[in-house]
């Protein structure tokens, strides 16, 4: 070891002989024969999704425009979707989302309308009578972000949907040292299970390796190995030692896998969101040597709490989301994995339809996107609400009672991902309150 | 809720390395690399491993480094100085190793 090695150690190291041997074994395990992945994009802050998916037929657009007042998008500015509802309803997307429009029209993207956390099927009358369990901390960012990740709306829990799926699947679908749940947003509740925790990759830098480790000209590796193997009686020290050990090993293994992955020709924009998706595409391309046939990925894109300047902020931010999704779709097409990867958005909550003068405030139900080759695209799942204020679902100021629960969305995703119908209750403790999935029929039918 | 994860745990340790080894990085845009540690007080005792570890234990471990960790670091200090005869480098690498130990990350009672 010397100064040069420390200063130039950037995290990408050549694979050691032992790592290459491990990679060869896993590559031969046909791990990619039955691959599928879920990519969860958290739009943190509570995206105003009634300006992402907007009714465009005249009657309903007028309702929308009347309710939204100064927050309404111009009807002629909407990008029309190739969709016609049973009663002639038409929709458009925000003018900054041309890629989303294109993906929807080509059948690779769908919306789920007015979806949100519910503890049980809930009507406005039952809610007003206080006769129904409600999600904890309604309208609160931290609570609703948590509930969207746990889908256990009436309780606080330390495990998330993907974490519980990993508890069931990880040993069957993951032969390598890296968790099947990979986060590009630090530790995520979504991916934390009882037994399986997520593996965190830096969204910008990718996989980090310990500076100085794996330099051939020193005994630093041996020293580190011995220091981390010192028996610890303190639980915090023990956890730290195990965490650093796992990070060192997983980082080396993952970088070794990435070194063998095919290069992608798809170009990603130089934005945090697109670069995070580029990292995911790289990680997916290395799935065989990683040894995973099921993976979940988690990204956070913050800044959606638009109490102020919602129109300007959305005009600035939604194009990046749309562009990133388009680029990721192209990368998956290049990898030949469009049917194997499903990408979906979540957000704390929808927002009030009415304006506070410059923006919108915390709501409940909202609209989310689901993208992938296996998705029954070009469809709007669930029930898009009547946007007239004072309607049956309006809890005031255009806060909409969700008509589709997060459990129903996750049930479709989990069944597609390989969770057996009989195990769905372990992943979604409340699912039986909404639908009978014992026969394996997905409640929404998101997939073709 | 975990504050430390796989990425930040490595990032935190690497920050120590960059600070310890970045004496020529004053023009770096990264603020943390502007840290230029004065290792002089440690370098003067780097030729005697036990003395170096005494000071590191006092300065960074509140005098409570466990004996197993100390034994490994003392051996590392002795071997490095014997191989390089470079007091400053010995301090850099030993201190880096010391600061990534569980005993430093979670200061508590010695074991």
């Amino acid at each position: 070891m010397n100064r040069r090695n420390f200063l130039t150690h950037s995290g990408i190291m050549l694979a050691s002989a032992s790592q290459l041997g491990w990679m060869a074994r896993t590559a031969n395990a046909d791990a990619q024969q039955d691959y599928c992945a879920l990519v969860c994009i958290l739009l943190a802050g509570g995206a105003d999704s009634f300006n992402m998916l907007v009714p465009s037929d005249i009657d309903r657009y007028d309702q929308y425009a009347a309710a939204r007042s100064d927050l309404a998008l111009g009807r002629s500015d909407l990008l029309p979707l190739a969709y016609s509802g049973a009663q002639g309803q038409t929709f458009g997307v925000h003018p900054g989302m041309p890629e989303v429009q294109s993906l929807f029209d080509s059948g690779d993207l769908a919306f789920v309308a007015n979806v949100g956390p519910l503890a049980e099927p809930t009507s406005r009358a039952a809610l007003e009578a206080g006769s129904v369990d409600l999600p904890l901390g309604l309208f609160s960012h931290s609570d609703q972000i948590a509930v969207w990740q746990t889908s256990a709306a009436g309780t606080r829990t330390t495990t998330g949907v993907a974490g519980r799926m990993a508890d069931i699947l990880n040993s069957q679908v993951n032969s390598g040292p890296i968790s099947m749940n990979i986060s590009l947003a630090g530790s995520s509740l979504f991916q934390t299970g009882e037994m399986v925790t997520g593996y965190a990759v830096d969204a910008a830098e990718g996989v980090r390796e310990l500076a100085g480790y794996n330099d051939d000209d020193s005994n630093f590796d041996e020293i580190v190995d011995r220091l981390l193997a010192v028996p610890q009686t303190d639980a915090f020290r023990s956890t730290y030692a195990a965490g650093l050990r796992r990070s060192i090993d997983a980082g080396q293994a993952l970088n070794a896998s990435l070194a063998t992955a095919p290069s992608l020709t798809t170009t990603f924009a130089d934005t945090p969101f697109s670069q995070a998706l580029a990292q995911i595409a790289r990680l997916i391309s290395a799935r065989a040597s990683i040894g995973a046939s099921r993976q979940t990925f988690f990204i956070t894109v913050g800044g959606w709490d638009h109490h102020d300047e919602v129109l300007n902020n959305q005009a600035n931010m939604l194009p990046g989301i749309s562009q990133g999704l388009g680029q990721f779709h192209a990368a998956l097409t290049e990898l030949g994995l469009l049917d194997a990867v499903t990408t979906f958005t979540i957000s704390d909550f929808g927002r009030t339809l009415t304006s506070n003068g410059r923006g919108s405030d915390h709501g409940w139900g909202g609209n989310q996107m689901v993208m992938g080759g296996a998705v029954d695209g070009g469809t709007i799942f669930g029930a898009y609400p009547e946007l007239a204020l004072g309607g049956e679902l309006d809890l005031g100021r255009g806060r909409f009672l969700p008509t589709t629960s997060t459990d129903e969305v996750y049930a479709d995703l989990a069944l597609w991902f390989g969770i057996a119908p009989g195990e769905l209750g372990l992943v979604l403790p409340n699912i039986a309150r909404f639908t009978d999935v014992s026969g394996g029929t997905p409640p929404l039918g998101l997939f073709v | 809720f975990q504050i430390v994860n796989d990425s930040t745990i490595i990032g935190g340790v690497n920050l120590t390395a960059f600070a310890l080894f970045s004496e020529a990085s004053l023009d770096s845009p990264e603020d943390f690399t502007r840290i230029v540690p004065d290792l002089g007080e440690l370098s003067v005792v780097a030729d005697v491993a036990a003395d170096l570890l005494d000071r590191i234990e006092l300065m960074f471990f509140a005098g409570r480094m466990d004996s197993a960790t100390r034994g490994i670091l003392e051996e590392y200090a002795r071997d490095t100085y014997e191989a390089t005869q470079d007091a400053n480098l010995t301090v850099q690498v030993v201190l880096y190793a010391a600061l990534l130990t569980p005993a430093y990350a979670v200061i508590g009672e010695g074991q």
Side-chain angles (χ1 to χ4, degrees), chain A residues 6-7 209 211 226 237 240, chain B residues 6 14 21 75 96 100 106 108:
Chain A
F6 267 104
L7 291 171
E209 287 194 61
R226 289 170 59 194
R237 287 183 181 175
Y240 170 86
Chain B
D6 309 88
N14 285 352
F21 290 89
E75 177 188 328
Y96 175 43
L100 63 75
V106 183

Side-chain angles (χ1 to χ4, degrees), chain A residues 92-253:
Chain A
V93 293
H94 187 281
M97 305 180 82
E99 294 86 358
V100 166
Q101 177 199 30
S102 173
L103 291 167
F104 183 95
D105 289 351
S106 65
D108 285 338
L109 185 143
F111 281 92
V112 182
N114 195 29
V115 56
L118 292 170
E120 59 181 309
T122 303
S123 68
R124 180 176 168 178
L127 187 150
E128 289 174 347
S131 61
V132 65
D133 286 339
L134 296 174
L136 297 177
L138 273 177
F139 315 121
S140 146
H141 287 293
S142 57
D143 287 300
Q144 296 312 296
I145 280 181
V147 169
W148 258 103
Q149 294 180 64
T150 66
S151 208
T155 57
R156 298 192 199 284
T157 174
T158 56
T159 62
V161 175
R164 296 191 289 268
M165 290 199 297
D167 282 343
I168 295 169
L169 293 175
N170 192 57
S171 63
Q172 308 163 41
V173 301
N174 190 12
S175 61
I178 300 154
S179 172
M180 62 172 266
N181 288 344
I182 298 177
S183 171
L184 287 87
S187 303
S188 81
L189 178 56
F190 178 67
Q191 296 177 307
T192 302
E194 291 286 352
M195 295 174 290
V196 176
T197 57
Y199 177 73
V201 174
D202 187 272
E205 298 175 32
V207 182
R208 284 176 169 157
E209 287 194 61
L210 187 68
Y213 201 85
N214 213 17
D215 283 351
D216 293 334
D217 58 345
S218 83
N219 60 340
F220 180 69
D221 297 14
E222 179 207 334
I223 295 298
V224 171
D225 294 347
R226 289 170 59 194
L227 287 169
L228 295 182
V230 170
Q232 304 292 340
T233 56
D234 180 288
F236 290 105
R237 287 183 181 175
S238 178
T239 301
Y240 170 86
L244 185 53
R245 176 79 269 159
R246 187 184 68 234
S247 300
I248 291 170
D249 295 342
Q252 288 199 96

Side-chain angles (χ1 to χ4, degrees), chain A residues 11 27 37 61 77 89 94 131 172 239 249 259 262 287-288 350 399 408 428-430 435:
Chain A
Y61 176 81
D77 294 331
Q89 303 102 320
H94 187 281
S131 61
Q172 308 163 41
T239 301
D249 295 342
R287 66 201 176 283
R399 285 188 175 97
E408 292 168 287
L428 301 166
N430 295 338
T435 185

